[in-house]
Amino acid sequence: MVKRVLVINGPNLNMLGIREPKTYGTQTLAEIDAMCLAEGKRLKLQVECRQTNREGEICEWIQAAYGKKDGIVLNPAGYSHTSVAIRDAISAVGLPLIEVHLSNIHAREQFRHFSYVSAVATGVICGLGAAGYRLALEALAERLAA
Ligand code: DQA
């Protein structure tokens, strides 16, 4: 059975390419999504990519993934540092989830050092730029095959 993975990108990540390129790189979200789809093909995963600027929509997508997806890659962006609701949605569905950040949040402002999501994530990747998504898919593929 092909494993199904949902890649969710949170607020302001639709601005990649324009947004603070020194911090987030020059790749657009469309380019990152294309890379995730290509990596999915290589790993024999069925990958779907979505982006929203709304916290509630992220909660709804995580809830809807229950029984429909086998794993999630999530960059909660700014909500990482504020959202109990997203963390609760992740706990509610119990799906393997890899948290990804393009930048190294621990090397930045103090308020970015803590993520509500990390404690309920299967794993966390940060500071490796867009490659983080590729590595997250690889980690999920390995875990889902086990
Ligand atoms: C981010 C890091 C967050 O602190 C920030 O709010 C983002 C992007 C990252 O991918 O590095 O929007 O999640």
Side-chain angles (χ1 to χ4, degrees), residues 1 5 12 17 22 27 30 33 35 42 51 56 67-68 75 85 89-90 97 102 105 113 118 126 136:
M1 266 262 288
V5 175
N12 303 308
K22 281 206 178 84
Q27 272 183 285
D33 285 351
M35 182 194 71
R42 191 181 76 79
Q51 188 275 332
K68 298 251 163 27
N75 184 343
I90 295 164
L97 179 143
L102 293 152
I105 54 174
H113 295 185
S118 298
C126 78

Side-chain angles (χ1 to χ4, degrees), residues 11 13 19 24 75 77-78 81 101-103 105 108 112:
L13 294 169
R19 180 189 183 200
Y24 298 116
N75 184 343
H81 321 299
H101 299 280
L102 293 152
S103 64
I105 54 174
R108 299 182 63 195
R112 294 185 203 274

Side-chain angles (χ1 to χ4, degrees), residues 129-142:
Y133 292 89
R134 194 166 41 73
L135 297 167
L137 288 169
E138 214 171 290
L140 270 183
E142 204 170 295

Side-chain angles (χ1 to χ4, degrees), residues 3 5 39-40 42-43 45 70-73 96-100 121-125 131-146:
K3 302 294 182 184
V5 175
E39 188 65 5
R42 191 181 76 79
L43 296 165
L45 296 173
D70 301 295
I72 298 174
V73 174
L97 179 143
I98 312 289
E99 177 183 1
V100 172
T122 309
V124 183
I125 297 171
Y133 292 89
R134 194 166 41 73
L135 297 167
L137 288 169
E138 214 171 290
L140 270 183
E142 204 170 295
R143 184 163 271 262
L144 294 172

Side-chain angles (χ1 to χ4, degrees), residues 15-27:
M15 297 296 286
L16 289 176
I18 295 167
R19 180 189 183 200
E20 302 175 77
K22 281 206 178 84
T23 303
Y24 298 116
T26 53
Q27 272 183 285

Side-chain angles (χ1 to χ4, degrees), residues 82-94:
T82 63
S83 183
V84 173
I86 291 173
R87 176 188 173 129
D88 287 348
I90 295 164
S91 296
V93 299

